Amino acid sequence: MYDLAIIGSGTAGLTAAIYSARADLSTLVLIGEAFGGQIATTNDVENYPGFDDGITGPELTERMRKQAERFGAKFEMNTIVEIDVDGPPFTLTGHGAEYQARAVVVATGASPKLLGVPGELELWGRGVSYCATCDGAFFRGEHIAVVGGGDSALQEALFLTRFGSKISIIHRRDELRAGAYLTNRANENDKIEFIWDTVVEEINGTNGVESLRIRNVKTGEESSLPVGGVFVYIGHRPNTEIFKNKLDMDHEGYLIADHRTHSNVEGIFIAGEAQDNYFRQAITTAGEGCMAAMEAEKFIARLDFEKTEEPVAAAPAAAG
Ligand code: NAP
């Protein structure tokens, strides 16, 4: 039995672990399928406070893990597939193991959205990727496509210029969603070209990606774009399936927490992108992880107080 179980090991979960372990709670972090969450798949993190020269995502999350472990947090590689919210204590079921905790922080984050076109799943890992940091180096000297018009698409396209001979950013509109800083950097980079008002209809290839069938949404014209790889950055969906009918969520599946990270179940707190489809920054999710752990600590202190509190003795009858 742990005081606090944290589901997820991104910046939200890791920060919750640092605060929880440092408050002397026995703390278990259930890592999920891969350690570090989305930030660990980002190469250059340039806006996390305290790192004036930037830091890589894997290094940032590794440092957070060490910081949490220094205070006694435990980490286990398991993905939770079921949660019993009828607690405390709460029971979490993973692959081949069950965990009990008096409080839970949900920090399951979000995953990349898929394009949903023919060839995407078939060529996933063979030219179709959602992580430039992980796979960029496989495409040295090749023409690479990036799909999307937000900050992620531009940031990762810029990273891919280290490897690719040319990067084509395919965006469905003629105006970017990305902010000015990344937009300017992308515009100034000779290796980057934009293909506006265009969507990907099909990804073609036998043993790897060979070309994309693309369609201009204004003219309807279709064409073939020969590329060796395609990186998809079209947003995210929350990893909240297991909480359906257990925790309140909105129509997109984002969990609903109050301004102090409380879910609708007392003792279960929510931090990070599982409940935030607006800010989605490493620093905001870290802040929510801190808040969730502080609230969990108060909740557990209350449970301890209720357990140890002496029953109030009946007042003696008045004399006389
Ligand atoms: P996003 O801002 O939601 O952008 C998604 C992009 O994909 C949009 O341009 C969207 O087009 C396009 N898109 C969505 N569905 C599509 C589809 N089915 N087919 C083709 N295109 C599609 O997602 P994000 O770029 O991952 O960013 C998420 C958050 O993280 C944002 O708040 C962002 O500011 C932040 N972020 C910040 C940084 C940084 O500051 N360095 C880096 C990365 C991410 P439309 O524009 O037409 O909707």
Side-chain angles (χ1 to χ4, degrees):
M1 168 78 76
Y2 287 87
D3 288 325
L4 181 64
I6 298 165
I7 314 177
S9 59
T11 42
L14 290 169
T15 309
I18 293 167
Y19 273 77
S20 166
R22 193 162 179 273
D24 236 4
L25 302 183
S26 59
T27 303
L28 174 68
V29 180
L30 293 149
I31 291 174
E33 270 156 36
F35 173 74
Q38 287 181 71
I39 195 82
T41 67
T42 304
N43 201 65
D44 299 316
V45 181
E46 291 187 311
N47 52 7
Y48 199 88
F51 298 97
D52 53 343
D53 285 332
I55 185 167
T56 69
E59 190 185 347
L60 178 65
T61 47
E62 200 44 50
R63 282 199 193 186
M64 287 179 159
R65 176 185 181 138
K66 283 192 185 135
Q67 198 176 353
E69 282 175 335
R70 182 156 70 86
F71 299 121
K74 300 269 177 275
F75 286 76
E76 195 155 323
M77 196 85 194
N78 207 339
T79 301
I80 299 306
V81 290
E82 201 180 327
I83 178 168
D84 180 1
V85 297
D86 194 13
F90 302 101
T91 302
L92 281 58
T93 308
H95 296 296
E98 221 174 64
Y99 310 91
Q100 287 217 316
R102 301 164 79 198
V104 173
V105 170
V106 175
T108 47
S111 295
K113 273 189 195 161
L114 307 191
L115 282 171
V117 298
E120 183 176 29
L121 296 181
E122 295 82 347
L123 292 165
W124 186 328
R126 288 186 295 147
V128 177
S129 174
Y130 306 84
C131 176
T133 305
C134 321
D135 300 328
F138 295 125
F139 301 94
R140 213 172 277 279
E142 299 207 48
H143 182 181
I144 304 170
V146 170
V147 187
D151 284 322
S152 299
L154 266 61
Q155 178 169 291
E156 303 309 317
L158 283 160
F159 174 68
L160 287 167
T161 58
R162 297 182 193 189
F163 310 107
S165 56
K166 180 178 176 183
I167 316 298
S168 298
I169 300 179
I170 301 170
H171 183 35
R172 64 182 177 182
R173 291 187 293 141
D174 61 2
E175 199 184 322
L176 293 171
R177 182 175 291 275
Y181 174 70
L182 287 168
T183 300
N184 292 340
R185 280 187 58 200
N187 280 329
E188 285 162 10
N189 195 304
D190 290 341
K191 280 193 178 176
I192 294 180
E193 70 158 14
F194 287 93
I195 303 180
W196 302 109
D197 298 313
T198 297
V199 293
V200 175
E201 294 284 17
E202 190 173 3
I203 303 173
N204 298 309
T206 317
N207 291 319
V209 170
E210 288 162 21
S211 67
L212 308 179
R213 183 159 59 83
I214 55 176
R215 178 174 56 86
N216 183 301
V217 291
K218 284 192 174 153
T219 63
E221 193 187 322
E222 289 199 358
S223 56
S224 173
L225 183 71
V227 290
V230 54
F231 288 78
V232 180
Y233 289 104
I234 60 167
H236 300 91
R237 56 179 170 72
N239 300 320
T240 55
E241 275 291 308
I242 62 165
F243 306 108
K244 250 184 201 155
N245 303 318
K246 299 192 172 179
L247 298 181
D248 288 349
M249 56 178 71
D250 68 14
H251 67 284
E252 286 183 277
Y254 285 94
L255 297 174
I256 294 172
D258 71 9
H259 69 289
R260 287 189 179 157
T261 75
H262 295 235
S263 74
N264 56 304
V265 175
E266 245 198 314
I268 299 186
F269 305 87
I270 309 166
E273 276 195 50
Q275 56 84 52
D276 169 34
N277 68 351
Y278 184 73
F279 288 110
R280 295 158 150 174
Q281 302 298 305
I283 186 62
T284 55
T285 65
E288 288 152 10
C290 158
M291 289 156 65
M294 289 176 73
E295 289 301 280
E297 196 267 326
K298 285 199 194 94
F299 174 76
I300 289 164
R302 209 178 72 217
L303 291 182
D304 286 341
F305 177 74
E306 283 165 6
K307 209 165 64 183
T308 56
E309 200 184 20
E310 290 291 320
V312 180

